[in-house]
Amino acid sequence: MNVTDEDLALAAAGGDADAFEALLSRNYDRLFGLCFRLTGNRAEAEDLTQDICAALPSKLAGFRGEARVTTWLYRVALNAAVDRRRKASRYARAMEGWGDWEIGRQSAIAEEQQDAAWLHAAMSHLSDILRDTLVLVLEGLSHAEAADILGVPEGTVGWRVAEARKRLRELKEKEEAQ
C-alpha cells in the first residue's frame, strides 16, 4: 500500500507517532536542504531544521490537506527562517552601541577611582582638623551633624570645608602646572 505524505501528515496531526516519524524521515533531507539555502550556513541550517522539527507536531494540527505536504513544509520553514532573521536583527539592533556604552562606563569608573585615589593622597596634606571635618562631610553627614560630632559650631564646619576645598584646589593647580 502506497501511503502519501498527505495521509501521513493527517495521521500525525491526529497523534499517530509512527506516521509523524515516517513523514519526518521522508522529508528531513529536503527540509534541511531548504534551510541551508535559506541561511547559507550549515550550523544555522541544522539549528533551524531542529527547531522546525520540534515545533512540527503542534504545527501539524493546522495542516488541512489543502496543499501538498512539501509545499506546506516549505511555508513552515520559510516562516521559521524569517522569524529567526527578525530575532537576529532585533538582537543586533539592541546590541548596537552597547560596546561604546560599556567602554564609556569602564572609563568613568577608572576616572572615579583615579579621582578618589588623588583625593585620598591629597587629603594627607591637610591639617588633621581640616581632614577630619572634610571626611565627615564626604561621608554624607550634614554640617550640623559633623559639628555635633566635632563639638564645634556649625559655621566652623562650613569654614573648615571651604578651607579644605581651597587648599585641595591649590594643590591640584600646583600639580597641573608641573
Side-chain angles (χ1 to χ4, degrees):
M1 180 169 152
N2 192 11
V3 179
T4 66
D5 283 349
E6 288 71 25
D7 293 334
L8 290 173
L10 291 170
D16 186 337
D18 292 333
F20 179 76
E21 185 178 338
L23 180 66
L24 206 52
S25 161
R26 282 186 187 181
N27 291 285
Y28 186 86
D29 291 340
R30 181 180 296 136
L31 185 59
F32 173 78
L34 175 64
C35 289
F36 182 74
R37 287 185 294 284
L38 289 170
T39 63
N41 178 298
R42 183 173 186 78
E44 202 167 324
E46 288 172 352
D47 287 347
L48 182 58
T49 305
Q50 288 302 312
D51 290 348
I52 292 167
C53 289
L56 211 50
S58 64
K59 298 242 183 241
L60 277 169
F63 180 71
R64 295 182 305 275
E66 295 170 356
R68 289 188 350 206
V69 169
T70 52
T71 304
W72 179 82
L73 273 175
Y74 278 18
R75 172 51 57 197
V76 168
L78 182 62
N79 288 344
V82 168
D83 286 347
R84 186 175 279 245
R85 280 187 222 125
R86 276 191 202 124
K87 286 178 188 172
S89 177
R90 272 195 312 268
Y91 179 78
R93 280 193 312 274
M95 295 310 293
E96 215 171 86
W98 182 258
D100 293 339
W101 178 83
E102 181 60 18
I103 289 169
R105 188 180 78 83
Q106 291 296 331
S107 177
I109 289 170
E111 191 174 322
E112 286 175 18
Q113 289 173 340
Q114 189 176 15
D115 290 347
W118 179 87
L119 181 60
H120 180 71
M123 284 177 65
S124 68
H125 295 287
L126 297 175
S127 67
D128 291 342
I129 292 171
L130 293 180
R131 184 176 46 250
D132 293 347
T133 304
L134 189 57
V135 165
L136 291 174
V137 171
L138 289 175
E139 283 295 316
L141 298 176
S142 69
H143 286 204
E145 292 168 324
D148 189 41
I149 292 170
L150 294 168
V152 297
E154 188 176 339
T156 301
V157 170
W159 178 87
R160 288 179 182 176
V161 169
E163 186 65 22
R165 287 181 176 160
K166 177 181 145 194
R167 291 189 185 176
L168 291 173
R169 195 175 318 108
E170 289 170 354
L171 181 61
K172 184 76 164 174
E173 289 170 358
K174 184 178 173 184
E175 287 178 2
E176 289 174 351
Q178 293 177 352

